[in-house]
Amino acid sequence: EPEVTQTPSHQVTQMGQEVILRCVPISNHLYFYWYRQILGQKVEFLVSFYNNEISEKSEIFDDQFSVERPDGSNFTLKIRSTKLEDSAMYFCASSPGTGGLQPQHFGDGTRLSIL
Amino acid sequence: AQSVTQPDIHITVSEGASLELRCNYSYGATPYLFWYVQSPGQGLQLLLKYFSGDTLVQGIKGFEAEFKRSQSSFNLRKPSVHWSDAAEYFCAVGPYSGAGSYQLTFGKGTKLSVIP
């Protein structure tokens, strides 16, 4: 069964550094998402992306964050200047574009640790 | 704003016993409802979904859930738990917007432990 893949599985970065988290969504899906889960807290929506544009973003997704689909397969989340509070598990998800509202399929996540 | 409440943080059951995980949602219209499971070190796997129609939905791994509009609930059930069901379970709600893109709102999750 096709799946969403995320790399790396664990990223350790110094505070203030830029980090890029990578995702390969399921190949025929058209809608892409990023969520994060701070340890012990809820999974929270960050951003949705469709047709090379942000569809929706949460208040968490401030100017330090950006998303990009640099080619036909990858979907990236960039954090420009990381803070300690950015430490979390980041999940990428994708959903199909047809057949009405379809469930989102999640990757295994990238654990981001900011030192 | 939509919200999801999972009242039980941690539940322990014996293998072979029945299971019910509670979920209550708050949403102004008809919601889309989901249950996801997260095993340690893994991502979120979809167990089942409710969009419309029959209020009792069947999912993978022998799980089912019942949508009760009057109680704003979407409880997850399994008649006989297996040791491999030990994981964290998340209830989530999405808006019935008709659009292909939507944001999910998750509950805090219920951690399930299974005693052999």
Side-chain angles (χ1 to χ4, degrees):
Chain A
E1 182 174 331
E3 55 184 32
V4 176
T5 57
Q6 291 185 242
T7 55
S9 58
H10 192 187
Q11 175 81 46
V12 181
T13 301
Q14 292 287 333
M15 185 173 60
Q17 295 295 306
E18 175 182 287
V19 66
I20 296 175
L21 309 182
R22 303 180 191 280
C23 169
V24 179
I26 295 173
S27 63
N28 62 346
H29 285 189
L30 300 180
Y31 298 95
F32 313 119
Y33 311 85
W34 284 101
Y35 291 80
R36 79 171 185 191
Q37 184 182 29
I38 295 172
L39 189 64
Q41 298 187 23
K42 294 183 182 185
V43 177
E44 301 172 291
F45 169 79
L46 292 178
V47 65
S48 59
F49 191 86
Y50 170 70
N51 200 25
N52 284 319
E53 289 184 345
I54 290 174
S55 306
E56 201 172 2
K57 61 182 180 179
S58 72
E59 59 188 23
I60 302 169
F61 194 88
D62 61 22
D63 292 343
Q64 297 296 317
F65 291 88
S66 62
V67 288
E68 190 179 30
R69 188 152 165 83
D71 53 43
S73 61
N74 290 283
F75 179 51
T76 61
L77 174 69
K78 182 191 292 186
I79 308 174
R80 190 168 60 205
S81 179
T82 51
K83 308 182 188 70
L84 293 176
E85 54 264 37
D86 294 327
S87 294
M89 181 73 89
Y90 288 80
F91 292 105
C92 175
S94 67
S95 61
T98 56
L101 195 147
Q102 294 288 335
Q104 296 175 18
H105 298 261
F106 285 77
D108 284 347
T110 293
R111 181 166 298 284
L112 177 62
S113 299
I114 306 300
L115 304 180
Chain B
Q2 60 206 46
S3 66
V4 176
T5 301
Q6 293 180 250
D8 304 305
I9 296 172
H10 192 183
I11 284 182
T12 301
V13 300
S14 297
E15 192 169 15
S18 63
L19 172 70
E20 182 169 29
L21 302 182
R22 296 182 291 165
C23 172
N24 292 96
Y25 68 89
S26 173
Y27 186 67
T30 302
Y32 283 138
L33 294 160
F34 307 84
W35 276 98
Y36 284 86
V37 61
Q38 184 181 29
S39 298
Q42 304 283 310
L44 296 162
Q45 182 184 20
L46 179 70
L47 281 177
L48 47 78
K49 62 186 185 291
Y50 172 76
F51 288 166
S52 64
D54 193 347
T55 56
L56 184 65
V57 293
Q58 303 296 321
I60 62 171
K61 305 184 180 186
F63 285 92
E64 66 178 26
E66 186 171 13
F67 171 61
K68 292 186 177 180
R69 185 189 303 276
S70 61
Q71 298 176 19
S72 297
S73 69
F74 188 57
N75 293 348
L76 181 71
R77 302 195 293 246
K78 186 170 184 178
S80 177
V81 169
H82 188 262
W83 64 265
S84 61
D85 293 325
E88 190 151 20
Y89 291 79
F90 293 92
C91 181
V93 63
Y96 185 84
S97 67
S101 175
Y102 60 95
Q103 63 171 280
L104 285 170
T105 298
F106 285 85
K108 287 190 173 182
T110 297
K111 185 175 180 181
L112 174 65
S113 297
V114 180
I115 301 172

